[in-house]
Amino acid sequence: MKKKKLSLRWAGAFIELCMGRITLENKGQIDTRCTGLYDDIQSSWYDNTELLKGVFGADNWWSVDDLGHAMGLVFADRSAIDTDLSKMAFEIDGTPATIDPEALQLSFYAPEDIDPLDNDEWVVCHGARRDAILHLDAKFVPPFDPSLITLSFFHYPDFGYILIDLDHDGNDDVQFNLGETTYLKPRFFRKDHFNDTSR
């Protein structure tokens, strides 16, 4: 049977979230070098090559991620996901199609526990947000089965649910059209913050 083309489009906010380990000495260097950190986040943190190389030995901010790195569409809470699923746009061979969001398969995960840190270590969490349009194109043999679409989310209590994978029957070649960047304020946490299941 001849295959048909599925096109899926979903607009939302895209986040790239990085978490890195820093020592008490690193934190002191950051406090000294970035006295105006929150006055101009981009130049004082994200574009500050002296800081990146001198403190982290890194060439770019997204390399400061030895504890975690996640990216994808982000949703404030579970109800926001449910609301936005109905805004997902489908076409089959170029013709708009209505798909029941209840038929899609959703999975939710907690990020892996961060490896134990020393008492004098901190976690730095930083990243960027952008308006985005997610698109996935795939071929399928009719009839179309929406239950073959799976969406996987990581839940970060401080940021929301990040869509880390969207898959249609093994095809997960998701592309993004990204808008203007808004940088997140770097946040510093003590060692147990992300492993605290009570939050």
Side-chain angles (χ1 to χ4, degrees), residues 29-30 33-34 44-45 48-57:
Q29 291 176 311
I30 292 166
R33 295 177 189 223
C34 300
S44 61
W45 182 268
N48 190 339
T49 55
E50 180 186 350
L51 174 74
L52 285 167
K53 290 185 180 296
V55 176
F56 302 110

Side-chain angles (χ1 to χ4, degrees), residues 22 27 30 37-38 45 122-125 186-190:
I22 62 172
K27 183 68 167 62
I30 292 166
L37 178 59
Y38 298 120
W45 182 268
W122 293 64
V123 176
V124 59
C125 189
R187 300 171 67 181
F188 301 90
F189 303 108
R190 297 303 295 188

Side-chain angles (χ1 to χ4, degrees), residues 6 8 90 104-105 144-151 167-168:
L6 167 70
L8 183 159
F90 294 87
L104 308 177
Q105 303 298 311
F144 174 63
D145 181 358
S147 70
L148 294 178
I149 295 177
T150 59
L151 299 93
D167 179 288
H168 174 264

Side-chain angles (χ1 to χ4, degrees), residues 34-108:
C34 300
T35 54
L37 178 59
Y38 298 120
D39 296 328
D40 185 350
I41 299 168
Q42 183 173 348
S43 64
S44 61
W45 182 268
Y46 294 99
D47 295 339
N48 190 339
T49 55
E50 180 186 350
L51 174 74
L52 285 167
K53 290 185 180 296
V55 176
F56 302 110
D59 293 322
N60 45 60
W61 64 265
W62 56 87
S63 296
V64 186
D65 66 344
D66 63 312
L67 295 177
H69 197 144
M71 65 180 75
L73 295 184
V74 62
F75 305 86
D77 51 35
R78 179 58 202 272
S79 64
I81 296 174
D82 293 338
T83 298
D84 282 9
L85 281 173
S86 64
K87 300 175 184 175
M88 206 180 272
F90 294 87
E91 289 185 355
I92 295 177
D93 279 351
T95 300
T98 300
I99 305 297
D100 180 6
E102 295 289 331
L104 308 177
Q105 303 298 311
L106 278 62
S107 298
F108 298 91

Side-chain angles (χ1 to χ4, degrees), residues 94 101 124 139 182:
V124 59
K139 297 284 189 177
T182 300

